Amino acid sequence: IGAPHTVAQWFNTGGFIDVPAGVLRAGNARRASILGPGSQQENFSLAKSFKLYRESNLQFRAEAFNAFNHTSYSTIDAQLGSSTFGQVIGAQEPRVLQLALKFNF
């Protein structure tokens, strides 16, 4: 609650402290208390078939993955004590366009 949700600080890192070495102490954070960002991706495909000769045809396809190039973060560093603790360190794939020809006979 009240987390900044920015690339530099996804969650409030002040709510976590490291337990000193040799000390056994139970934590009070519930399981999955750090929730990562959601994902948003729109994929599109267009296909057209052309009849060539008898049973043979040619199909042209154009496909777009993450068509609007929306940045979706994928990895948040939750390793206590690391230099990037609480930061976004990864993103999903950018827009990918693909063209294909398929000959059926």
Side-chain angles (χ1 to χ4, degrees):
I1 298 175
H5 295 301
T6 63
V7 174
Q9 186 179 13
W10 188 258
F11 58 89
N12 183 4
T13 57
F16 300 89
I17 59 169
D18 203 4
V19 177
V23 176
L24 294 176
R25 187 181 307 160
N28 60 358
R30 70 182 193 278
R31 182 182 170 106
S33 60
I34 300 172
L35 298 177
S39 177
Q40 179 180 351
Q41 184 174 357
E42 293 81 16
N43 302 326
F44 295 105
S45 176
L46 294 171
K48 174 69 178 171
S49 292
F50 302 96
K51 184 142 178 96
L52 296 178
Y53 182 75
R54 292 188 185 171
E55 295 91 28
S56 62
N57 62 20
L58 185 69
Q59 182 186 57
F60 171 76
R61 280 196 321 257
E63 300 168 337
F65 304 97
N66 195 9
F68 299 122
N69 207 21
H70 180 80
T71 303
S72 293
Y73 301 120
S74 62
T75 309
I76 309 298
D77 186 6
Q79 180 65 41
L80 191 62
S82 95
S83 62
T84 56
F85 179 61
Q87 296 179 5
V88 175
I89 56 173
Q92 293 180 0
E93 292 293 321
R95 178 186 313 138
V96 176
L97 302 176
Q98 179 174 298
L99 302 175
L101 282 176
K102 182 169 130 181
F103 179 64
N104 292 320
F105 57 93

